[in-house]
Amino acid sequence: MMKELSEKNIERLSLYRQILAKYSYTFSPHINSADLARILNLSEENVRRDLMLIGCKSTNTRKGFSVIDLINKISEVLDYRSDVPVNIVIVGNDNCLREALLDDYISQKIHISGIFDFCYQETEKGEGIIYYPLDKLNKVVLEEKAVLGVINVSAEYAEQISEILINSGIKGIINFSPVKLDAPPHIYVEQINQVTILEKAIFNIKKNDSSLA
């Protein structure tokens, strides 16, 4: 039985799969934990522990793990469903995620059901994505059975958008807005505090800058 995974375990498993996807096209691809740790600048102990937690075992003592087997095992853990992509909606500025989600590998896992913003007065199509006015949000979430909503609007609108998404049946929210959202316990909320990210970066730059010593 798979042991309970921490947030850090999940984050690293996602990184492993992103790297492994690039190796999956080679002939009979294998990779060992030391190489995976080196590529991602992680400790080999962490990599081995993460893979053990999800039941991965090396299939070749010399080459290491089968890349395809590793991807499949990680996918069993991370993916919402194995047979169809998970539907998501983006409200507001879509530049934060759209390019990443159009990546060939990720696009097999995640489908953008629609992008919604104040600037759209009517439904528009472009680059395989449908853009909607905000008054279509509830209808599209219900029809597409979207499970994840991304909010990237100003603070004054974030709570209202969150309420619409939750009432429409959304199961999780990624919030890029500067306001902390309150949601029922059964709704997963990932708060991306961009100010904290900036300050963390500045702190680490200062820490590593010998001229400030």
Side-chain angles (χ1 to χ4, degrees), residues 85-103 106-116 120 124-132 137 140-141 144-150:
V86 60
N87 288 334
I88 76 167
V89 293
I90 300 175
V91 183
N93 188 336
D94 62 299
N95 292 332
C96 57
L97 282 177
R98 184 166 63 94
E99 292 301 321
L101 294 177
L102 290 176
D103 175 86
I106 297 302
S107 64
Q108 299 173 33
K109 307 290 182 182
I110 297 172
H111 173 253
I112 302 176
S113 296
I115 295 174
F116 302 77
Y120 305 123
E124 303 175 14
K125 293 183 180 180
E127 299 180 356
I129 296 174
I130 305 178
Y131 300 83
Y132 294 96
L137 181 57
V140 172
V141 171
E144 294 288 318
K145 298 180 180 177
V147 299
L148 177 64
V150 179

Side-chain angles (χ1 to χ4, degrees), residues 75-173:
S75 295
E76 288 177 11
V77 176
L78 297 186
D79 291 350
Y80 186 68
R81 288 180 57 180
S82 60
D83 52 342
V84 292
V86 60
N87 288 334
I88 76 167
V89 293
I90 300 175
V91 183
N93 188 336
D94 62 299
N95 292 332
C96 57
L97 282 177
R98 184 166 63 94
E99 292 301 321
L101 294 177
L102 290 176
D103 175 86
D104 286 343
Y105 181 73
I106 297 302
S107 64
Q108 299 173 33
K109 307 290 182 182
I110 297 172
H111 173 253
I112 302 176
S113 296
I115 295 174
F116 302 77
D117 208 340
F118 298 100
C119 62
Y120 305 123
Q121 301 302 315
E122 57 185 33
T123 302
E124 303 175 14
K125 293 183 180 180
E127 299 180 356
I129 296 174
I130 305 178
Y131 300 83
Y132 294 96
L134 272 172
D135 61 7
K136 302 286 187 183
L137 181 57
N138 174 267
K139 181 175 183 290
V140 172
V141 171
L142 288 170
E143 289 181 348
E144 294 288 318
K145 298 180 180 177
V147 299
L148 177 64
V150 179
I151 298 176
N152 195 19
V153 298
S154 60
E156 60 183 313
Y157 300 110
E159 291 185 359
Q160 183 180 358
I161 297 299
S162 171
E163 186 176 340
I164 294 171
L165 289 171
I166 292 170
N167 290 337
S168 301
I170 215 78
K171 299 181 185 301
I173 294 172

Side-chain angles (χ1 to χ4, degrees), residues 8-24 31-33 35-54 56 67 70-71 74-75 78 105:
K8 291 296 183 182
N9 294 140
I10 296 298
E11 289 172 7
R12 288 194 295 265
L13 288 172
S14 174
L15 289 174
Y16 302 157
R17 186 166 68 169
Q18 291 173 54
I19 293 298
L20 292 167
K22 299 176 181 178
Y23 285 82
S24 62
I31 193 169
N32 58 46
S33 55
D35 285 337
L36 196 53
R38 176 180 52 79
I39 293 168
L40 291 169
N41 196 27
L42 297 170
S43 74
E44 187 177 352
E45 181 182 1
N46 270 340
V47 174
R48 286 181 173 174
R49 185 184 299 115
D50 290 338
L51 298 181
M52 286 176 60
L53 284 173
I54 63 171
C56 286
V67 168
L70 270 186
I71 290 175
I74 294 172
S75 295
L78 297 186
Y105 181 73

Side-chain angles (χ1 to χ4, degrees), residues 164-188:
I164 294 171
L165 289 171
I166 292 170
N167 290 337
S168 301
I170 215 78
K171 299 181 185 301
I173 294 172
I174 298 176
N175 181 30
F176 283 89
S177 76
V179 62
K180 187 178 184 299
L181 298 176
D182 290 323
H186 67 281
I187 304 295
Y188 175 81

